[in-house]
């Protein structure tokens, strides 16, 4: 058991990349930098010569240190919502407002696709993080994180301890209420409604 991190959040770090290569090849290179691939939740290319890595906030320092050893610094000013990233000629006739909206749409589609590939155990937390940052809409969150996955866990029967013993172990008072909300903004651990 570990205490909950104070800065429980997820963030994309952007790094320079000479070219787009298969994700499996890029992950092999991350491993050579002693980066734990299980902690890199998503890898994608948001622009030419840019790779994005989705990380838990507690792992960001380790990843930046590993890249610093290789003399590679993250791109501090990269903005995936920059309308200049829309280089396709079919978007050339869009107004500035339409370009911003299209760029947001493309970014949201990329995030929803990433959510669908993230391990089910962390998908609800990552989805909540994206939603809190206004990166995705509530409907996109609900589509990417089905209700059955939003913090509910299968009941496991352990014969070696009674429920009273479990409650006594972790709670100051056995009457401490548990969170029952299915709201993505709920900071507590969600449990199924009775």
């Amino acid at each position: 058991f570990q205490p909950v991190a104070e800065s429980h959040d997820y963030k994309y770090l952007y790094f320079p990349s000479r070219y787009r290569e298969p994700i499996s090849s890029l992950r092999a290179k991350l491993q050579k930098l002693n980066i734990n691939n299980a902690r890199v939740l998503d890898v994608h290319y948001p622009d030419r010569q840019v790779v994005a890595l989705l990380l838990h906030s507690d792992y960001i320092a380790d990843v930046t240190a590993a890249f610093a050893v290789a003399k590679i610094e993250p791109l501090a000013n990269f903005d995936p919502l920059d309308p200049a990233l829309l280089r396709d000629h079919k978007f050339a006739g869009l107004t500035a407002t339409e370009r911003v909206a299209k760029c947001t749409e493309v970014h949201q589609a990329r995030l929803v696709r990433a959510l669908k590939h993230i391990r089910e155990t962390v998908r609800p937390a990552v989805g909540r993080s994206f939603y809190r940052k206004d990166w995705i809409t509530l409907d996109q969150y609900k589509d990417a994180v089905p209700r059955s996955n939003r913090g509910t866990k299968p009941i496991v029967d352990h014969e070696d301890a009674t429920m009273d013993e479990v409650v006594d172990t972790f709670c100051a008072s056995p009457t401490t209420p548990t969170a029952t909300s299915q709201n993505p903004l709920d900071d507590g651990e969600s449990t199924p409604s009775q």
Side-chain angles (χ1 to χ4, degrees):
F1 296 98
Q2 294 180 342
V4 176
E6 290 180 23
S7 58
H8 185 69
D9 197 14
Y10 298 88
K11 180 181 177 181
Y12 275 103
L13 287 185
Y14 301 96
F15 289 95
S17 176
R18 289 186 183 173
Y19 53 89
R20 291 180 189 225
E21 61 183 304
I23 300 299
S24 59
S25 174
L26 184 81
R27 283 190 177 270
K29 290 177 181 177
L30 292 176
Q31 190 171 7
K32 288 188 180 196
L33 289 171
N34 292 322
I35 294 172
N36 183 349
N37 271 302
R39 297 188 72 185
V40 179
L41 301 175
D42 177 47
V43 178
H44 68 264
Y45 297 97
D47 192 23
R48 295 180 205 149
Q49 300 182 333
V50 177
V51 63
L53 306 178
L54 178 63
L55 306 162
H56 188 277
S57 57
D58 289 346
Y59 197 52
I60 290 174
D62 295 342
V63 170
T64 53
F67 273 96
V69 167
K71 296 184 170 97
I72 302 168
E73 294 296 321
L75 302 172
N77 296 323
F78 181 78
D79 179 10
L81 296 173
D82 184 357
L85 299 178
L86 290 177
R87 294 189 183 92
D88 195 325
H89 295 295
K90 66 183 175 186
F91 302 129
L94 297 178
T95 66
T97 305
E98 292 170 333
R99 288 180 67 79
V100 169
K102 188 62 177 177
C103 202
T104 301
E105 178 186 328
V106 168
H107 181 61
Q108 287 177 336
R110 190 179 297 127
L111 296 177
V112 168
R113 186 171 47 250
L115 272 175
K116 291 182 179 182
H117 291 96
I118 290 174
R119 291 185 309 276
E120 286 187 26
T121 54
V122 290
R123 189 180 304 160
V126 175
R128 280 191 301 272
S129 177
F130 287 179
Y131 176 70
R132 283 185 184 133
K133 294 175 183 179
D134 288 328
W135 288 355
I136 61 173
T137 66
L138 183 58
D139 288 337
Q140 289 168 327
Y141 169 82
K142 288 178 179 179
D143 287 343
V145 183
R147 187 178 250 331
S148 63
N149 291 353
R150 288 189 222 150
T152 60
K153 294 176 178 52
I155 297 172
V156 178
D157 186 25
H158 294 283
E159 294 180 18
D160 60 341
T162 66
M163 184 51 98
D164 289 335
E165 291 170 333
V166 172
V167 170
D168 288 341
T169 301
F170 297 106
C171 297
S173 166
T175 58
T176 303
T178 59
T180 58
S181 173
Q182 293 291 327
N183 183 341
L185 295 179
D186 182 16
D187 287 331
E189 185 79 22
S190 297
T191 58
S193 298
Q194 303 295 325

